[in-house]
Amino acid sequence: MRFDAAVLRSYEGRFAVEQVALEEGPAPDEVLVRIAGCGMCRTDLAVRGSAGRSPLPAVLGHEGSGVVVETGGPDTRLAVGDHVVLSFDSCGHCRACISGAPAYCDSFAELNLFGGRTTNAARFADAAGIPLAPRWFGQSSFAEYAMVPARNAVRVDPTLPLELLGPLGCGFLTGAGAVLNTFGVVPGDALAVFGAGAVGLAAVMAATAAGAVVLAVDRHPERLATAERFGAVPLYGTGGLADRIKRLTDGGVRYALDTTASPDLINEALRALRPTGHLGLVARLRQSLPLEPGTLDRGRKLSHLCEGDAVPGVLIPRLTALWQAGRFPFDQLIRTYPLDEINEAERDCETGRVVKPVLLPPHRTKEHP
């Protein structure tokens, strides 16, 4: 079959919407999904900064949602017509996967970033028949269709706005999962979120839904205004943050989440913790992290979190239920773009003009002008 997809051919180049081909149907553990929408995540854009690692040319996109149009068989536990959100890939049989921690799968990097599955690794080919890179995060959903391992796909309520649900598979899942899974925030806890982008704002919404006191730190007033609308106390700037947070929380926060990877802000976050407090990092550090003396004393801890420590099949339905109850309004962060405006979406994502771009394939653009 042939369909449109956004192809990135060089690390410095622009996306181009091209006709691609997928010649084989789904394997027994796969489903073919007609994409309704796909969020743009900063991990997609980070490919440009990792030349020589994630292979190109490729179809990126790993926050897809859509409708199952073909299955490889009954073992997929999905049926034609099911509405699904697509999340990250995992092997399903390593120690991390079988213990309920698929984000720490032994093969996570191989499956999602660097080469895909060694079996049933269905590839796109371009119009000239030249193969493109293996599936990105097991889906490559900047396209009209995606062939995905069934374990990537989470069935959702068909009454939900399907084209908007894709970011629940990664960005929003990461922020909300940190709060609900890693920290296990309960009413009365205090949480500081450093960086009010898509991940940070998802954390703010989840913490508010859990009944926590939330503080949001950012240098962009408009992002802080959004965080405040979702229930956070806004803190602008970088100077003296730990002292300000301690004054506002009667001595410090129990949890902090950093989405910035800034060593200065990470140290501020550590200083703002109460004894036994926990700081989680979600962004990859690109430089050394010198810690100030005493910041990890008295039971404080620092850890890196991947994908919100989530089991997607558990957390995604929880988040959609919170949205239906009016307690996780992630849709307010989304702006939709036709797939052929993907370069404009990337620009708006990079500049911070839009928190979460979602790309609509041609058939969906016609259905939802």
Side-chain angles (χ1 to χ4, degrees), residues 158-341:
T159 66
L160 294 169
L162 183 60
E163 69 277 6
L164 303 183
L165 300 185
L168 295 177
C170 184
F172 296 158
L173 172 133
T174 296
V179 170
L180 301 175
N181 295 329
T182 311
F183 298 151
V185 166
V186 297
D189 282 341
L191 165 75
V193 177
F194 289 74
V199 173
L201 289 170
V204 167
M205 288 186 284
T208 300
V213 174
V214 191
L215 300 93
V217 176
D218 206 285
R219 59 183 180 180
H220 298 290
E222 65 278 6
R223 293 288 178 89
L224 286 177
T226 302
E228 186 174 22
R229 191 170 76 246
F230 292 151
V233 176
L235 294 175
Y236 178 80
T238 58
L241 283 169
D243 289 339
R244 284 190 278 165
I245 290 170
K246 287 180 178 179
R247 285 195 300 270
L248 290 166
T249 57
D250 192 26
V253 292
R254 186 174 183 186
Y255 303 110
L257 183 70
D258 179 78
T259 71
T260 70
S262 163
D264 289 342
L265 289 178
I266 290 170
N267 274 289
E268 288 278 5
L270 285 169
R271 286 197 298 272
L273 290 177
R274 290 179 176 276
T276 72
H278 183 183
L279 168 61
L281 311 181
V282 297
R284 170 176 281 189
L285 293 171
R286 301 293 181 180
Q287 55 189 309
S288 60
L289 176 61
L291 297 179
E292 297 180 3
T295 52
L296 289 178
D297 291 354
R298 303 189 67 196
R300 297 180 181 91
K301 64 180 178 179
L302 170 67
S303 66
H304 183 271
L305 316 179
C306 186
E307 300 287 357
D309 286 345
V311 176
V314 175
L315 185 57
I316 290 172
R318 184 177 180 185
L319 296 180
T320 59
L322 284 172
W323 179 81
Q324 288 174 304
R327 300 171 62 200
F328 191 73
F330 68 88
D331 55 308
Q332 296 182 27
L333 302 178
I334 288 173
R335 176 179 169 182
T336 60
Y337 297 75
L339 184 62
D340 61 9
E341 292 182 10

Side-chain angles (χ1 to χ4, degrees), residues 42 45 219-220 222-223 337 343-355 357:
R42 289 192 177 274
L45 308 184
R219 59 183 180 180
H220 298 290
E222 65 278 6
R223 293 288 178 89
Y337 297 75
N343 293 298
E344 290 76 8
E346 179 181 10
R347 176 202 63 208
D348 290 347
C349 184
E350 288 281 37
T351 61
R353 182 182 176 190
V354 173
V355 175

